[in-house]
Amino acid sequence: MPSTDLAPLWTRARAMFARAVAAFGTPAALAALGVLSRAFRREIGGWLAPLEHIVRKLLFAEAARLELAPVSTAGLQIARRTDARAGAPAKNNCNDPETWRVKFTLALPSDPRVVPEARAPRIRTFDAPPPAPAPIRRGDAQRSPTTGRQLARRFEALRRVLDDPMPHARRLKRLLARAIRRFPEIAARFLVTAPRTSSRDEHDPRLSVEASGAAFDAPPSHNSS
């Protein structure tokens, strides 16, 4: 059984999130902003990316401690329908993040042996017309600019995980249990994934390292048995 006490790490992650909110505003305040400048986007990303990295590592450690229980698909569908009837309004209220449809991205590594659909071989008859050429990818300069709403949704998804991590840990456990059968290295790949930025919270610079350490404590529980 892993020995790392995760509760203090979650407390520190919540404190880091509070510092990010103090620096840039609540998700609702961010959503009210229009197109962001590159400099401001990088400032926000300097908080957001490390926080997401820390939370993913802590969820991995939590998931390792869970017993994988069978889940009824029908039960999930009924629960979702019930939540939809009794939950938030159907429309997204920009001023109320509780009504937003957001989902925290676990960023599981993809299996390098899987051929993407775009590059999969096609079988066609001799008289069939040639396949259409692949669409030309637009360059960075042509992509839609980043808005405050886009980053606000990521902050809101983070907030929900920090409020109640266990449903997300159970989701990660289920995803790993399915993926590991065809991609045994997925847990190890997840462990060594680094944050997208080297930024550190000056108030708690070791949190990312310690969260990764807690995740490294967990791998024996994530196996293919």
Side-chain angles (χ1 to χ4, degrees), residues 54-222:
I54 289 164
V55 166
R56 287 179 188 126
K57 291 298 191 279
L58 292 180
L59 287 177
F60 185 94
E62 292 284 9
R65 304 180 182 203
L66 295 173
E67 292 294 330
L68 186 62
V71 179
S72 168
T73 304
L76 283 176
Q77 292 172 344
I78 293 172
R80 286 170 186 154
R81 285 198 295 269
T82 303
D83 291 344
R85 286 195 297 268
K91 290 185 177 180
N92 286 341
N93 183 345
C94 292
N95 299 318
D96 184 5
E98 294 283 351
T99 67
W100 299 353
R101 284 189 171 184
V102 297
K103 190 174 186 179
F104 182 72
T105 303
L106 294 171
L108 288 174
S110 57
D111 188 345
R113 291 162 295 199
V114 174
V115 179
E117 179 65 23
R119 293 195 286 121
R122 299 290 186 268
I123 299 176
R124 60 189 180 90
T125 60
F126 287 107
D127 58 347
I136 299 174
R137 296 183 61 180
R138 297 185 299 171
D140 292 342
Q142 295 175 311
R143 290 178 183 169
S144 300
T146 302
T147 65
R149 180 67 185 273
Q150 291 169 303
L151 295 182
R153 291 174 65 83
R154 288 170 62 186
F155 266 111
E156 174 60 18
L158 258 177
R159 184 193 65 78
R160 295 181 190 184
V161 177
L162 291 169
D163 280 354
D164 188 5
M166 297 317 296
H168 304 274
R170 285 190 287 271
R171 177 164 66 97
L172 177 58
K173 182 79 171 182
R174 290 194 297 269
L175 291 173
L176 283 172
R178 287 200 299 265
I180 208 165
R181 298 168 189 166
R182 63 180 185 278
F183 183 22
E185 304 90 355
I186 188 170
R189 294 280 184 91
F190 189 91
L191 276 176
V192 299
T193 301
R196 294 182 178 180
T197 174
S198 58
S199 299
R200 294 288 183 271
D201 177 9
E202 62 181 12
H203 295 280
D204 196 351
R206 289 193 54 81
L207 179 55
S208 180
V209 174
E210 293 178 29
S212 295
F216 270 98
D217 232 1
S221 298
H222 291 299

Side-chain angles (χ1 to χ4, degrees), residues 36-50:
L36 305 179
S37 69
R38 179 177 297 182
F40 189 50
R41 188 172 69 243
R42 285 179 176 174
E43 285 185 44
I44 297 176
W47 286 91
L48 184 56

